[in-house]
Amino acid sequence: MRYLHLLPPLLILIAPPCQAARPMITDDARLTDAGACQVETWAHLHNRQREWWALPACNPGGNLELTLGGALAWTDGRSDSGATVAQLKTLFRPLETNGYGIGLAVGHATQPGSSHTGNPYFYVPASFSFLDDRLVIHTNLGYTRERENRENRLTWGIGSEWQMRSDTWLIAESYGQDKGRPFVQFGLRHWIVPGHVQIDTTYGNQLGHFGTQRWFSVGLRLISPRLF
């Protein structure tokens, strides 16, 4: 995610994802486990548009996560142009319990329904742990180049994860650019198989446009054991 017109709201910051753990757009200072891979996949419902996303990511060396994926899109029931995301992410300081972490992500993304060549971006994710990881706050600050409009944009995000029980988390966040109204999102994330299979659902909207910019998403995250 979150993120430009990159999917209101999903690619304003990129993420996931690529990504805080789904469904957050604001990224975290964490990586896929060393030597492991994951796939985040979700359905995104936004007004007349329907999107299906899949973002595989692997961390073969321990401190460099590679993500390459995209989306299929439909508008008014008709197939539309899809999207692609390619990203590299590393950490300068891993997130520790009751401590903080910081990293860097760089990438390139196109948006569903667009024919232009896409936008390069980078951002710095920083995360802060409280209450023995029961509360984690994430912040992002970044930059993207909108090639279609030939404009530069600063991007930002702030989000929180609150552990409601051992397998369920409540998430809430806000994110946007240096111009325009911010987006907000909240939802739930639940582990079916701890550490390996997770489901989530969210509701989001843009401040000041609650009737026209709302969206829903339902996602599934699969994490492999160590492969490398």
Side-chain angles (χ1 to χ4, degrees), residues 1-225:
M1 13 39 92
R2 210 193 272 6
Y3 178 103
L4 21 271
H5 255 85
L6 290 181
L7 256 203
L10 187 61
L11 292 178
I12 287 177
L13 295 172
I14 296 300
C18 337
Q19 320 87 1
R22 268 279 310 160
M24 294 188 72
I25 304 305
T26 306
D27 205 351
D28 56 10
R30 306 184 185 111
L31 300 177
T32 305
D33 293 341
C37 295
Q38 70 171 11
V39 177
E40 293 181 323
T41 181
W42 66 96
H44 181 90
L45 312 178
H46 178 257
N47 291 335
R48 299 176 303 161
Q49 193 169 51
R50 303 291 183 267
E51 299 156 12
W52 181 78
W53 284 82
L55 292 179
C58 291
N59 181 8
N63 194 32
L64 183 63
E65 182 180 87
L66 298 85
T67 300
L68 180 62
L72 300 176
W74 295 263
T75 301
D76 293 330
R78 294 176 295 181
S79 180
D80 208 339
S81 59
T84 59
V85 176
Q87 179 176 285
L88 299 176
K89 180 182 172 184
T90 189
L91 297 181
F92 305 127
R93 177 188 175 101
L95 178 61
E96 298 177 348
T97 300
N98 297 320
Y100 73 94
I102 189 168
L104 175 67
V106 297
H108 183 275
T110 65
Q111 72 179 59
S114 175
S115 60
H116 71 85
T117 57
N119 304 318
Y121 65 90
F122 74 85
Y123 61 87
V124 175
S127 298
F128 306 86
S129 169
F130 303 93
L131 304 174
D132 298 327
D133 289 340
R134 293 193 299 276
L135 172 65
V136 184
I137 305 295
H138 308 294
T139 64
N140 289 179
L141 185 63
Y143 159 93
T144 186
R145 171 67 175 174
E146 291 187 359
R147 290 179 172 173
E148 185 176 30
N149 301 324
R150 298 182 180 179
E151 294 182 343
N152 301 321
R153 292 280 186 262
L154 294 178
T155 60
W156 61 272
I158 182 169
S160 64
E161 300 177 76
W162 179 265
Q163 188 174 18
M164 302 174 63
R165 49 187 244 183
S166 62
D167 57 0
T168 304
W169 296 78
L170 173 67
I171 70 103
E173 63 180 335
S174 180
Y175 52 90
Q177 308 173 36
D178 56 336
K179 296 182 180 180
R181 295 179 181 270
F183 296 89
V184 294
Q185 179 177 221
F186 61 90
L188 292 173
R189 195 166 62 220
H190 176 75
W191 287 103
I192 298 176
V193 179
H196 293 287
V197 181
Q198 187 182 84
I199 59 173
D200 61 72
T201 185
T202 66
Y203 168 82
N205 219 316
Q206 186 179 28
L207 294 180
H209 297 279
F210 289 104
T212 59
Q213 294 297 329
R214 64 185 177 184
W215 71 89
F216 299 91
S217 75
V218 178
L220 173 66
R221 182 184 181 205
L222 304 175
I223 304 174
S224 77

